Amino acid sequence: MYRNGKTGGEITLDSDGTFTATDLSTDAHTDPEDLHGHWEFVDSSGSDFVYLDIDERGIGEVFGVQLYARGGGKVEFSRPDGSWSLVLTKVSAQ
């Protein structure tokens, strides 16, 4: 489980390849929401990441996002312009 101390948003990556996110927003311009879907580790030549495939999305909505490990038990979402947004820190599952 990863959590942002400022927003309270959190995400859990389960061992069966599914994820749940609560009160999570990937950038400052999107309202927090609860999401779920499947995750996949992508071994990329540039930078490895976890791809989150979001279930139940409609036309014009984002279907997936990339989550990058940043060391020290932290992960961050990447924006299309290459800048970083929400930082989440690993916590013990409750």
Side-chain angles (χ1 to χ4, degrees):
M1 176 184 294
Y2 295 86
R3 180 178 298 137
N4 180 278
K6 185 177 179 181
T7 67
E10 58 187 38
I11 186 167
T12 301
L13 303 175
D14 293 315
S15 62
D16 67 355
T18 61
F19 78 90
T20 55
T22 306
D23 203 24
L24 190 69
S25 175
T26 58
D27 65 50
H29 306 292
T30 306
D31 290 333
E33 57 185 319
D34 295 344
L35 307 167
H36 64 278
H38 294 85
W39 67 270
E40 175 184 357
F41 178 76
V42 178
D43 186 2
S44 173
S45 61
S47 182
D48 299 341
F49 61 90
V50 172
Y51 181 76
L52 304 175
D53 186 11
I54 303 168
D55 288 348
E56 301 176 11
R57 289 301 196 155
I59 295 172
E61 292 183 280
V62 174
F63 286 95
V65 293
Q66 296 174 356
L67 187 63
Y68 290 84
R70 289 294 166 219
K74 296 181 185 302
V75 294
E76 296 179 86
F77 290 99
S78 175
R79 294 184 182 153
D81 67 2
S83 64
W84 299 100
S85 59
L86 188 67
V87 176
L88 300 147
T89 303
K90 188 173 185 175
V91 296
S92 298
Q94 314 247 335

